[in-house]
Amino acid sequence: MTSRTALLALSLALLSAPALAAKTMGGDLGSLGVVPGKVGGTYTLPLSDSPQTFNYYGAIDNNTYTVLNNVLESLVEYNLATYKLEPGLAESWTTSKDGKVWTFKIRKGVKWHDGVPFSADDVVFSYNNIILNPGVRANQIPNLSFGGEPVKVEKVDASTVRMTLKQAAGAFTQPLRTFILPKHVFEKIDPLKNPADYMKMWGTDKATEVIGTGPFKFAGYVAGQKISLVKNPDYWKVDAKGTRLPYLNRLEYLIIRDPQAQVAQFLAGNLDQVNITGAQFPDLKQKEVAGAPFKVVRSKALFGSPPHIAFNFDAKDPALAKVFRDLRFRQAMQFAVNRQRIIDDVFNTVATLPGHGVAPISEFYVNTRGALGKFDLKAAGQKLDLLGLKDTDRDGIRNLPGGKNLEFDLTYATDSTVYPPIATIFQNDLKSIGVKVNLKGLLVANMLATGQAGNYEAMLYAFGDQPDPQLRREIWQPGQALNYWHMSARGEDGKPVFANMQPWEKRIWDIFDQGATVVDPIKRRALYGEWQALFSKNLPVIMVAKADNLAAVNNRVGNFIYNLGPIPTYNTNTLVYLK
Amino acid sequence: MLSYALRRILGMVPTLLLISVVCFVVIQLQPGSFLDQYLEDPRVTKETVATITRQLGLDQPLWVQYLTWIKGIVLHGDFGYSFANGRPVAELIWERLGWTVFLAVLTLIVSWLIAIPLGIYTALNRYGIGATITNFLGYISLAIPDFLVALLLIALVLSAGGTNVGGLFSPQYIGEPWSWPKVLDLLNHLWIPMIAIGLEGVAGLMRQMRASMLDVINQDYVRTARAKGLAGRAVLWRHAVRNAINPLISLAGLSLPTLISGTIIASIVLNLPTIGPYLYDSLLNKDQYVAMTLLLFSALLLLIGNLLSDLALAWADPRIRFE
């Protein structure tokens, strides 16, 4: 190399020095239609209620999460297309051979919104004094404990953090999506000693005190009406062309509680985008076709809650419980779920066949569609005949072995557009094969508690899908708190009761136990594949359908990517621009 | 008069104490507690729930919780903490009180101004075609719930291409300093909630006024006034209306608590920043001090409303003053 080229290389390196910390975003998102955008403008979104607080660890509240997702950041973050975790505030990381020691290189050149440089101290303080602090209301101790002990977080030097686990963990980076807070703000009150004082920080009256490292800064909050965020001009991400992100000058959330009112405000042009349901789809699509200045976007996002039907293995009526535990009964019910009609009529065709515990677009998904079978009431009836559940007293309803009618309550949520019609369709189809279903409506908010208390016979309910099955362990592993259809597999002490599990349940328990500690991604995928096969064959619950995600978006919005909102680090607003 | 008012105000204290006990008991009888949402969440450990319980003082016996709350109110004017928001209840209510009072008072005034003349008109022209139509419309607006009116108005504005569908301002004016365009924007939004919330009140008041007017009109003293040759106008306003309005004054006192609870659904549908939806949330969340304070506040408003209407009645009717 001549001295001239060396000089040139040096000056080039110096020129690009300010962008050293910058990470390019959006270059690999072509599949989502992301293009370099235009700077400027105000983007207005709805928020379904007032946030309880702006202190991320102060409440479990989706509205708080949705807003703070634009302001705070984590060590790792989602790739918006693949849902794989990418470097965020951590530039890179390495793992020891046994998977127990993780070393993170912290990104340099990142600043808090008040200008103070971000460093390893912030990470260590956030974890040790807030995130893993048992006195903090929404602490993350359960997510960050492995082998019964919380992760140990230490500073190695100004830009290196080491985390030590008692036991190797397969999905360790997933809980690291939790947000980092500024040490220089919170050290004054010492959250370890005074957790109650910590809880009073960053309340809804102190919006403008809230700072993070994220693409947007707080500008103001009008109680019950509007949250205003403005662009962080020093943000560390650039687009494929080198333009500093975010494109938007302002991001505003209007607080509108009623979904219909949100749509009205969208139609009036006061909102740029609104997430909608299948029930609202035909009306808005019609308007779009008629030339309204917006588009209805349908996308297969990973998040979202596919409904299922659960039968209480521990139903209070022992004869009913015995029938529910019998696989043949659940197979009969599987035949009796008219998925095509539900997809067509209830979801207005905006849904697909469900996966089993894993969303069809997830990297963990194995194709279990074949196991869903076809809607076939005759086959369902034959299965019930084989079980000996015949109509012995000729009143049109099959009878249980003791002579009682085969009749059960189906508990479902009334405050929803999808559950009531699904429940009715299922009820009618079962009626035609001599099974009597009594519908029992509850509020969504009370469903889970009713399920966990065992006060139901059958239940129509839904849990959200997540990118990694490990994150849904509390639901699908028998003996866990949310495995509500078989609560007798869980002891009073919260420990699993293997004696009460069927063999396939025990195997699922083992799979989740192993999956938690295996680090090799191929082995993990194989394990969770086996679980999905067991699920689809043994039907702990009967999956109904997976709704696609729908949004109505104004034509002036560019780079729109569907976003549920409250999922930490799945932030699409950084790339949105106005045409 | 002054001593009477003072006596009444002092009398409110024991009543309010009793009401506060009732509020507390009612809230406690509600199944579940604020902590349920944490108990159900797998992200929260048992230890954390225990810590929160201690932080919120929910581990104390009920009577201690009650006494602490009352002591705070009496000694420091402290109405307790919102569990959900982690902020003093009084502050949170204060944030929302302005628009609530503004809307309620404005609706009250407008509905009186419309309802009273209509009531008199329909009573005087009992069999006229105008009165029949007004009565018919009155029945309809009594029968239609306020939120339905709100939804219909929104649909109407949307189909006419308007943008003022819900809320009190266009997004760009929220949180901005006051200016003429902002006032105009407010007026442009205000008529929808005025009609939606006020319509039912107008219809009800109109029927009341009509009924009590009809009672009065056939009284002997009205006939006497006519017989002694007083002008029709004077008979109407000085003799008939003045007597007929008494029941409405009593009614006005009772309408003060609707400030808080009267418009919950309409407020949600119309996206109004009032206290109603906040009360609804606090009851759902079992955010006990918020719910209790709002219930207590609503009881206080009822008592004050009653006092005010009694005083107004005494001012309007010498016979009551005399008794």
Side-chain angles (χ1 to χ4, degrees):
Chain A
M1 197 171 13
T2 65
S3 66
R4 240 168 84 193
T5 47
L7 202 68
L8 188 71
L10 185 70
S11 57
L12 273 178
L14 282 176
L15 265 178
S16 58
L20 206 61
K23 174 187 161 182
T24 308
M25 188 190 186
D28 57 343
L29 298 176
S31 64
L32 294 173
V34 170
V35 293
K38 212 176 91 191
V39 174
T42 300
Y43 184 51
T44 313
L45 294 171
L47 193 68
S48 54
D49 206 346
S50 308
Q52 291 180 5
T53 170
F54 293 123
N55 185 339
Y56 184 74
Y57 299 101
I60 295 179
D61 174 26
N62 278 345
N63 300 302
T64 298
Y65 294 174
T66 301
V67 175
L68 289 177
N69 218 347
N70 301 294
V71 179
L72 300 173
E73 293 187 303
S74 320
L75 292 177
V76 297
E77 59 187 33
Y78 276 126
N79 177 297
L80 301 178
T82 62
Y83 297 92
K84 290 209 172 104
L85 290 172
E86 293 182 338
L89 290 177
E91 210 164 23
S92 64
W93 55 86
T94 53
T95 321
S96 69
K97 263 202 184 124
D98 60 1
K100 289 184 187 170
V101 182
W102 296 64
T103 313
F104 294 85
K105 276 277 165 221
I106 302 302
R107 198 174 289 276
K108 284 181 189 150
V110 176
K111 278 185 192 155
W112 293 101
H113 292 159
D114 60 356
V116 175
F118 161 80
S119 77
D121 288 316
D122 293 307
V123 178
V124 176
F125 178 85
S126 293
Y127 274 91
N128 290 338
N129 297 47
I130 298 169
I131 299 169
L132 296 171
N133 179 348
V136 166
R137 199 181 283 181
N139 67 58
Q140 304 286 311
I141 297 172
N143 288 341
L144 284 160
S145 292
F146 306 92
E149 257 178 49
V151 56
K152 212 167 94 194
V153 183
E154 301 155 297
K155 176 180 167 183
V156 178
D157 60 50
S159 61
T160 316
V161 170
R162 184 167 56 225
M163 300 199 183
T164 315
L165 287 63
K166 196 182 161 206
Q167 192 183 71
F172 175 56
T173 45
Q174 286 287 350
L176 298 183
R177 285 183 296 121
T178 198
F179 291 131
I180 306 293
L181 298 178
K183 179 182 179 187
H184 65 278
V185 171
F186 289 101
E187 67 182 344
K188 289 171 229 156
I189 50 141
D190 196 352
L192 276 180
K193 268 201 198 129
N194 313 307
D197 288 350
Y198 166 78
M199 303 301 303
K200 289 177 196 165
M201 300 278 284
W202 287 6
T204 44
D205 52 336
K206 301 190 184 80
T208 47
E209 290 178 15
V210 178
I211 56 164
T213 57
F216 294 95
K217 310 196 277 189
F218 263 96
Y221 171 51
V222 182
Q225 298 186 66
K226 186 170 90 167
I227 295 159
S228 306
L229 306 173
V230 293
K231 175 192 196 132
N232 171 8
D234 301 321
Y235 192 50
W236 51 275
K237 280 182 194 165
V238 294
D239 72 0
K241 273 189 171 167
T243 311
R244 200 171 278 275
L245 295 170
Y247 298 119
L248 300 166
N249 277 342
R250 268 179 102 84
L251 174 61
E252 301 201 322
Y253 285 97
L254 294 188
I255 296 163
I256 306 170
R257 306 166 48 110
D258 182 47
Q260 292 302 332
Q262 290 186 0
V263 170
Q265 290 278 20
F266 172 76
L267 290 174
N270 293 328
L271 293 173
D272 290 309
Q273 186 258 313
V274 64
N275 287 351
I276 58 168
T277 63
Q280 296 160 321
F281 172 71
D283 183 37
L284 285 167
K285 189 74 194 173
Q286 233 168 39
K287 288 198 166 77
E288 179 196 333
V289 173
F294 60 80
K295 277 192 183 59
V296 178
V297 180
R298 174 180 177 171
S299 54
K300 294 199 188 309
L302 193 142
F303 305 108
S305 307
H308 64 245
I309 299 167
F311 292 94
N312 191 352
F313 291 8
D314 306 306
K316 288 191 174 129
D317 179 346
L320 218 46
K322 190 159 172 264
V323 169
F324 288 167
R325 279 169 191 238
D326 198 310
L327 177 58
R328 288 170 295 175
F329 173 79
R330 300 198 300 278
Q331 283 167 340
M333 294 298 110
Q334 167 98 308
F335 276 124
V337 177
N338 191 347
R339 295 193 173 84
Q340 200 49 53
R341 180 168 172 211
I342 291 171
I343 289 171
D344 289 347
D345 293 0
V346 180
F347 292 100
N348 284 313
T349 73
V350 200
T352 48
L353 291 176
H356 285 90
V358 174
I361 72 157
S362 162
E363 55 170 324
F364 284 94
Y365 175 71
V366 292
N367 191 341
T368 48
R369 267 182 197 193
L372 292 171
K374 282 215 157 52
F375 170 62
D376 186 345
L377 286 176
K378 217 173 126 201
Q382 279 165 358
K383 282 267 175 203
L384 294 176
D385 287 344
L386 279 176
L387 255 169
L389 299 168
K390 290 186 180 156
D391 184 10
T392 48
D393 56 4
R394 309 239 159 229
D395 64 347
I397 299 167
R398 290 168 190 269
N399 296 88
L400 290 164
K404 268 205 299 197
N405 278 342
L406 176 54
E407 168 180 2
F408 57 82
D409 292 343
L410 177 65
T411 305
Y412 71 102
T414 47
D415 49 344
S416 144
T417 51
V418 295
Y419 295 113
I422 294 176
T424 319
I425 290 173
F426 191 54
Q427 180 192 37
N428 277 328
D429 286 333
L430 286 187
K431 191 178 166 194
S432 67
I433 55 168
V435 180
K436 190 172 176 206
V437 178
N438 306 309
L439 296 186
K440 206 171 154 189
L442 279 185
L443 290 177
V444 169
N446 297 330
M447 291 286 288
L448 187 58
T450 307
Q452 287 176 312
N455 290 328
Y456 72 101
E457 285 166 350
M459 190 177 262
L460 179 60
Y461 191 55
F463 286 115
D465 283 328
Q466 288 279 342
D468 195 306
Q470 167 68 17
L471 299 176
R472 304 275 80 182
R473 183 180 178 176
E474 283 84 5
I475 299 165
W476 303 116
Q477 187 182 37
Q480 292 279 4
L482 301 184
N483 199 270
Y484 70 92
W485 51 91
H486 197 181
M487 290 312 279
S488 66
R490 181 181 173 82
E492 287 287 318
D493 52 358
K495 293 214 170 82
V497 183
F498 296 118
N500 288 341
M501 288 186 198
Q502 299 184 30
W504 57 270
E505 287 185 295
K506 174 68 175 57
R507 177 63 198 146
I508 292 179
W509 192 91
D510 286 337
I511 288 174
F512 274 96
D513 207 43
Q514 281 176 39
T517 55
V518 171
V519 184
D520 179 13
I522 296 166
K523 275 190 201 149
R524 294 188 70 224
R525 223 169 290 169
L527 276 171
Y528 291 123
E530 187 194 342
W531 159 59
Q532 289 169 67
L534 280 170
F535 185 165
S536 64
K537 226 175 87 194
N538 292 290
L539 306 171
V541 301
I542 292 160
M543 301 304 299
V544 178
K546 167 90 176 171
D548 287 352
N549 298 103
L550 286 172
V553 191
N554 193 300
N555 284 343
R556 72 189 193 117
V557 178
N559 283 350
F560 172 76
I561 302 166
Y562 183 86
N563 188 353
L564 212 56
I567 311 278
T569 81
Y570 194 85
N571 180 8
T572 54
N573 297 327
T574 314
L575 288 170
V576 165
Y577 72 97
L578 301 178
K579 289 170 189 164
Chain B
M1 191 75 134
L2 194 68
S3 74
Y4 169 75
L6 265 176
R7 245 191 354 256
R8 284 283 299 267
I9 290 170
L10 280 178
M12 280 182 200
V13 174
T15 320
L16 275 177
L17 271 176
L18 201 66
I19 292 170
S20 74
V21 175
V22 174
C23 289
F24 188 80
V25 171
V26 167
I27 296 286
Q28 297 303 331
L29 283 179
Q30 207 192 358
S33 88
F34 176 74
L35 291 165
D36 285 359
Q37 48 181 316
Y38 289 90
L39 283 170
E40 284 160 16
D41 199 309
R43 289 171 289 187
V44 181
T45 58
K46 284 207 178 97
E47 292 75 41
T48 304
V49 174
T51 317
I52 303 172
T53 313
R54 225 174 23 251
Q55 279 173 4
L56 300 180
L58 290 175
D59 55 340
Q60 307 281 329
L62 287 181
W63 61 273
V64 175
Q65 286 181 38
Y66 173 77
L67 284 182
T68 320
W69 182 57
I70 283 293
K71 212 172 89 187
I73 296 175
V74 175
L75 295 183
H76 315 288
D78 172 10
F79 289 85
Y81 247 74
S82 155
F83 294 164
N85 298 87
R87 289 176 55 197
V89 171
E91 215 180 284
L92 287 160
I93 294 178
W94 184 246
E95 257 176 17
R96 290 162 173 82
L97 198 62
W99 286 117
T100 312
V101 171
F102 172 77
L103 275 173
V105 170
L106 202 63
T107 322
L108 200 72
I109 292 174
V110 169
S111 51
W112 269 64
L113 283 180
I114 297 174
I116 300 300
L118 277 183
I120 297 170
Y121 171 78
T122 48
L124 294 181
N125 308 286
R126 234 177 315 171
Y127 306 109
I129 190 115
T132 314
I133 292 174
T134 317
N135 275 331
F136 178 70
L137 291 179
Y139 277 124
I140 287 187
S141 52
L142 259 182
I144 304 178
D146 53 0
F147 66 90
L148 189 62
V149 177
L151 286 174
L152 290 173
L153 285 174
I154 287 178
L156 200 74
V157 170
L158 264 185
S159 66
T163 60
N164 46 334
V165 287
L168 288 175
F169 297 103
S170 300
Q172 67 267 30
Y173 290 113
I174 301 173
E176 293 301 308
W178 283 100
S179 60
W180 274 115
K182 185 171 173 172
V183 174
L184 287 180
D185 187 60
L186 173 65
L187 290 176
N188 195 22
H189 281 78
L190 204 55
W191 63 271
I192 296 182
M194 274 340 321
I195 294 179
I197 304 171
L199 203 57
E200 219 177 317
V202 168
L205 279 171
M206 187 188 92
R207 305 286 313 161
Q208 280 283 348
M209 187 64 205
R210 177 176 178 273
S212 76
M213 196 64 192
L214 284 176
D215 272 351
V216 170
I217 253 174
N218 297 322
Q219 295 286 334
D220 290 343
Y221 58 81
V222 173
R223 200 183 318 138
T224 312
R226 282 227 177 84
K228 72 183 177 184
L230 274 178
R233 244 208 154 90
V235 176
L236 179 67
W237 292 106
R238 289 241 295 276
H239 296 265
V241 172
R242 199 162 165 193
N243 281 298
I245 206 136
N246 281 356
L248 276 101
I249 294 178
S250 318
L251 217 68
L254 293 176
S255 67
L256 217 49
T258 52
L259 227 122
I260 291 181
S261 55
T263 56
I264 294 181
I265 303 176
S267 283
I268 291 176
V269 171
L270 284 170
N271 198 34
L272 303 173
T274 56
I275 281 181
Y278 190 54
L279 170 65
Y280 175 73
D281 272 353
S282 67
L283 286 170
L284 280 187
N285 281 337
K286 288 134 196 161
D287 197 346
Q288 67 181 32
Y289 295 119
V290 177
M292 275 156 29
T293 306
L294 283 174
L295 291 177
L296 195 64
F297 189 50
S298 147
L300 178 70
L301 285 177
L302 182 66
L303 292 176
I304 291 178
N306 261 333
L307 174 64
L308 287 180
S309 70
D310 283 353
L311 292 179
L313 217 50
W315 171 77
D317 191 340
R319 287 170 300 179
I320 292 168
R321 229 174 313 167
F322 187 69
E323 280 162 24

